Amino acid sequence: MSNMTKLTVVVPIYNLGHYFDDALESLGNQSEDYELWLVDDHSTDGTAEKADAFVKGVPMFHVEHFAQHQGVSVARNFGIDHATGDAVAFVDGDDRVHPDYVKTLVNGFQSDTPAVAVGYQWWHTPFDQRDHYEKLTQRQMFRQAVQRGSEVGGYIWNKAYSLAALRDENLHFDESLNIAEDYLFTATFVANTPGTYLYDPAIRYTKINRPGSTIHSRSMADRQVEDHVFDEIYRLGDKL
């Protein structure tokens, strides 16, 4: 039985076109109630209007519109600062979540659980997709978080983080980064937050490969920045 009562889901959105339609449908079909923040980073293609229509009439659903484009990390940090749940999860606005995405994350939390992760479908899928929770020590979770392409990964979109732990560490996304900011966020959280982590390998998150997204438009300079970020991440492990 979960000790957690509410999850806040933060979704940064920016010019998502038709990809946003499927994302909204999956967010609207959740089997568990949750708080939602759609944070619009000054979209100009109709995405903002879709967000307004989606939250209308739902008390726990909110939308924020930025007056100028500020970047995904600023949008996520806005969500952290305005979340009222016991934990916070981050969904990319062009991806899809299983109807039990929220439920699986919520049910994994106990009093000593810093974060819960779920299985995802992207370049690969988990070998064991049974719906069950596996325990990971802080060290095991860190190893998963700093290894590119690992089963649990350092990605933020298949995880929920204790909001109290985030605020204890005053942890936010590095707004100067446009790449690997998710790995740095997760690795920093795990390195500074002891406890028993939970992972359910059942696929609850589907990553969509959208042309023009950051992962598909990295420059050589971006790759160099990513390498420097991972050097910083590896140093975080020295304390474990």
Side-chain angles (χ1 to χ4, degrees), residues 12-220:
I13 57 176
Y14 177 64
N15 288 350
L16 295 170
H18 68 89
Y19 291 94
F20 194 35
D21 298 332
D22 289 339
L24 287 177
E25 182 178 359
S26 69
L27 288 167
N29 287 334
Q30 291 301 297
S31 59
E32 186 90 2
D33 290 338
Y34 67 104
E35 178 184 51
L36 175 68
W37 275 101
L38 298 175
V39 187
D40 173 48
D41 196 10
H42 198 60
S43 296
T44 57
D45 70 339
T47 294
E49 289 76 10
K50 290 179 181 179
D52 285 333
F54 184 74
V55 305
K56 188 175 182 179
V58 186
M60 291 179 65
F61 286 9
H62 317 283
V63 64
E64 174 69 17
H65 297 288
F66 287 174
Q68 61 186 15
H69 185 61
Q70 300 184 67
V72 66
S73 290
V74 177
R76 289 171 180 154
N77 286 338
F78 178 93
I80 291 173
D81 291 339
H82 290 80
T84 64
D86 302 284
V88 60
F90 303 93
V91 170
D92 287 349
D94 50 1
D95 294 340
R96 301 169 192 169
V97 289
H98 184 279
D100 288 337
Y101 172 75
V102 169
K103 180 180 179 180
T104 304
L105 291 171
V106 167
N107 286 348
F109 272 91
Q110 303 296 322
S111 59
D112 63 342
T113 308
V116 177
V118 295
Y120 64 89
Q121 183 171 358
W122 192 9
W123 305 110
H124 71 277
T125 57
F127 177 76
D128 179 3
Q129 296 179 22
R130 291 175 301 153
D131 185 9
H132 69 288
Y133 294 103
E134 301 175 4
K135 294 181 179 181
L136 291 86
T137 65
Q138 182 185 16
R139 185 183 295 272
Q140 289 172 326
M141 185 65 178
F142 186 82
R143 285 201 296 265
Q144 285 285 323
V146 302
Q147 181 182 345
R148 292 177 174 91
S150 65
E151 183 164 329
V152 179
Y155 317 112
I156 57 167
W157 30 256
N158 68 324
K159 299 174 181 66
Y161 307 79
S162 161
L163 189 59
L166 288 177
R167 289 179 173 164
D168 283 346
E169 293 294 329
N170 193 27
L171 181 59
H172 289 79
F173 290 89
D174 187 333
E175 296 177 2
S176 70
L177 296 173
N178 63 1
I179 196 165
E181 79 290 338
D182 53 349
Y183 275 97
L184 181 59
F185 181 90
T186 301
T188 302
F189 179 88
V190 177
N192 291 298
T193 313
T196 301
Y197 290 77
L198 271 293
Y199 167 58
D200 186 334
I203 294 175
R204 297 291 184 251
Y205 195 100
T206 299
K207 187 71 181 165
I208 302 299
N209 291 313
R210 179 168 60 94
S213 63
T214 301
I215 194 68
H216 292 295
S217 57
R218 290 181 297 177
S219 65
M220 185 59 68

